[in-house]
Amino acid sequence: MDGDRVEIDGGIMEGGGQILRVSTALGCLLGLPLRVRRIRAGRSQPGLRPQHLSGLEIIRDLCDGKLNGGEIGSTEITFTPGKIKGGTHIADTKTAGSVCLLMQVAMPCVLFAASPSELHLKGGTNAEMAPQIDYTVMVFKPVVEKFNFTFNCDIKRRGYYPQGGGEVVVQMSPVKELSPINLTERGTVTKIYGRAFVAGALPIKLAKDMSAAAVRCIRREIRDLYINIQPVREPDDQAVGTGSGIIIVAETSTGCLLAGSSLGKRGKNADKVGIEAAEMLLQNLKHGGTVDDSLQDQLIIFMALAKGVSRVKSGPITLHTQTAIHFAEQLTKAKFTVTKSEEDNPGNDTYIIECQGMGMINPNL
């Protein structure tokens, strides 16, 4: 069997956990045995962290696969997938490892399962270096559902750095195939809304300060829109530990959703958190793309699996996106092209990501 393993170099390009997520999800879907070497080679702590290991374990469990090298710090794994099955699956990072990244790896697989799935994902819901769960629900969900599937995401408890302890439950039914998407018209911004949150020992005043600072920052660029950023205190029975942060979403006339977000941490001024999120949103609006920088790479695996041609207009292509495209092309028959978008004013750094999808068919349905 080992002669037929697909070799994945986990140290090239973005060189992080994303290579592991994209390649193991596609390996699982396509029934490809993999060897991933040099895992997270470029990181300060190379090898598997608890979050990556949880992601590998949920994929293994989803398809009754075999995983070797699955321990913390390991820089090489082999994975031999079996048949994807539905049902209830639990993944627990036991840390503040991101539940959103666990969702990223599992979701493409359970779409092609034999029966409906329920994923219980435990860890951090609002963590650094990953989308916040609010982003997943407010931006990722409505956009990814354009591939013609739906899922339910129930936030049971929120968990923050360092202890985690959050839990979300994701329910979804399998599909026969995914439809391609066409997101090429940005339209004009019609509303801006969001939430600034505190949890645990932090006073609601911090949320109000984050919200007010963000609104002031956006107002300088966008004067004629009502900006509604709700300050909220997470109920104590629905949050573990202490955390704060903000997410701001802009919705456009064509239904595009783009966001900016930021997390608070000890010693970081609340105004700074709000301003960071506002500046990220404004940056994402400036380039004229239909998706923001965080969503760009998350759509690649779905474009690769869909049947037909998908087109997405984006800002500058992130290294995460380039990496996802590289491994999607290595493992599937999908073909991507990225071209500079000419129709926009020359000042805009806009691109069209086009993909001829492989047309994955669910063999179980």
Side-chain angles (χ1 to χ4, degrees):
M1 192 67 197
D2 255 81
D4 303 334
R5 284 196 188 276
V6 179
E7 296 283 340
I8 300 288
D9 183 344
I12 62 168
M13 301 179 78
E14 201 277 326
Q18 187 211 16
I19 295 176
L20 213 51
R21 288 190 291 277
V22 171
S23 56
T24 47
L26 289 171
C28 173
L29 282 161
L30 301 167
L32 298 170
L34 304 175
R35 175 183 284 105
V36 188
R37 301 182 196 269
R38 300 204 313 136
I39 293 168
R40 299 182 67 253
R43 297 297 192 257
S44 56
Q45 284 183 300
L48 296 175
R49 304 302 306 143
Q51 165 185 304
H52 309 109
L53 185 52
S54 301
L56 287 173
E57 289 170 346
I58 197 170
I59 292 280
R60 177 197 64 196
D61 297 347
L62 283 172
C63 70
D64 276 332
K66 290 191 183 62
L67 174 66
N68 290 332
E71 53 260 347
I72 305 294
S74 169
T75 56
E76 182 172 325
I77 57 120
T78 60
F79 171 59
T80 311
K83 179 175 156 46
I84 304 174
K85 55 187 203 290
T88 301
H89 299 278
I90 298 171
D92 186 354
T93 66
K94 304 206 171 43
T95 64
S98 167
V99 296
C100 304
L101 296 180
L102 292 175
M103 198 186 308
Q104 242 178 60
V105 68
M107 187 175 285
C109 301
V110 294
L111 277 174
F112 292 91
S115 60
S117 304
E118 185 169 287
L119 308 173
H120 292 248
L121 310 174
K122 302 177 183 184
T125 56
N126 299 77
E128 291 281 5
M129 305 298 293
Q132 297 189 44
I133 192 65
D134 308 88
Y135 181 90
T136 300
V137 172
M138 293 165 77
V139 179
F140 172 78
K141 183 180 191 291
V143 178
V144 85
E145 286 181 340
K146 294 178 195 287
F147 286 100
N148 211 9
F149 69 91
T150 58
F151 68 96
N152 189 44
C153 179
D154 183 15
I155 305 169
K156 296 281 185 209
R157 270 191 320 281
R158 289 168 178 271
Y160 310 100
Y161 182 81
Q163 74 266 51
E167 180 180 4
V168 303
V169 178
V170 178
Q171 294 164 312
M172 57 198 310
S173 293
V175 293
K176 184 72 187 159
E177 60 189 22
L178 295 176
S179 306
I181 60 167
N182 189 26
L183 298 177
T184 50
E185 297 302 320
R186 220 298 276 286
T188 55
V189 178
T190 52
K191 49 181 151 175
I192 295 176
Y193 52 90
R195 70 194 300 268
F197 67 86
V198 291
L202 300 174
I204 187 74
K205 180 184 185 309
L206 282 184
K208 291 176 177 165
D209 289 350
M210 285 188 281
S211 168
V215 170
R216 282 196 303 272
C217 182
I218 295 167
R219 276 268 172 270
R220 291 206 287 272
E221 305 268 329
I222 300 172
R223 292 186 183 79
D224 44 356
L225 274 183
Y226 174 61
I227 303 169
N228 179 17
I229 304 172
Q230 292 275 301
V232 289
R233 188 183 152 70
E234 309 293 4
D236 285 337
D237 59 344
Q238 289 167 35
V240 176
T242 295
S244 65
I246 182 171
I247 175 164
I248 318 164
V249 178
E251 196 173 311
T252 77
S253 53
T254 53
C256 299
L257 298 162
L258 301 97
S261 62
S262 182
L263 285 170
K265 53 174 176 248
R266 187 170 296 183
K268 186 170 168 188
N269 180 311
D271 284 26
K272 183 168 191 262
V273 182
I275 289 165
E276 265 178 13
E279 286 178 343
M280 184 192 290
L281 175 68
L282 293 169
Q283 191 61 41
N284 277 318
L285 289 173
K286 196 174 267 139
H287 57 52
T290 62
V291 296
D292 62 33
D293 294 351
S294 301
L295 192 61
Q296 216 183 79
D297 68 288
Q298 295 183 61
L299 297 178
I300 298 301
I301 190 167
F302 298 99
M303 292 168 77
L305 294 168
K307 184 181 181 181
V309 177
S310 291
R311 300 178 77 232
V312 174
K313 182 189 279 190
S314 75
I317 309 296
T318 65
L319 185 53
H320 266 113
T321 298
Q322 292 169 31
T323 306
I325 289 173
H326 175 87
F327 289 99
E329 288 191 325
Q330 183 185 339
L331 293 165
T332 71
K333 292 190 166 63
K335 191 74 199 93
F336 284 84
T337 52
V338 176
T339 48
K340 189 104 165 74
S341 172
E342 295 306 334
E343 60 202 62
D344 287 275
N345 56 15
N348 275 12
D349 210 2
T350 338
Y351 297 81
I352 301 281
I353 305 170
E354 188 170 274
C355 174
Q356 175 67 57
M358 64 166 285
M360 177 83 187
I361 304 281
N362 190 334
N364 305 299
L365 295 189

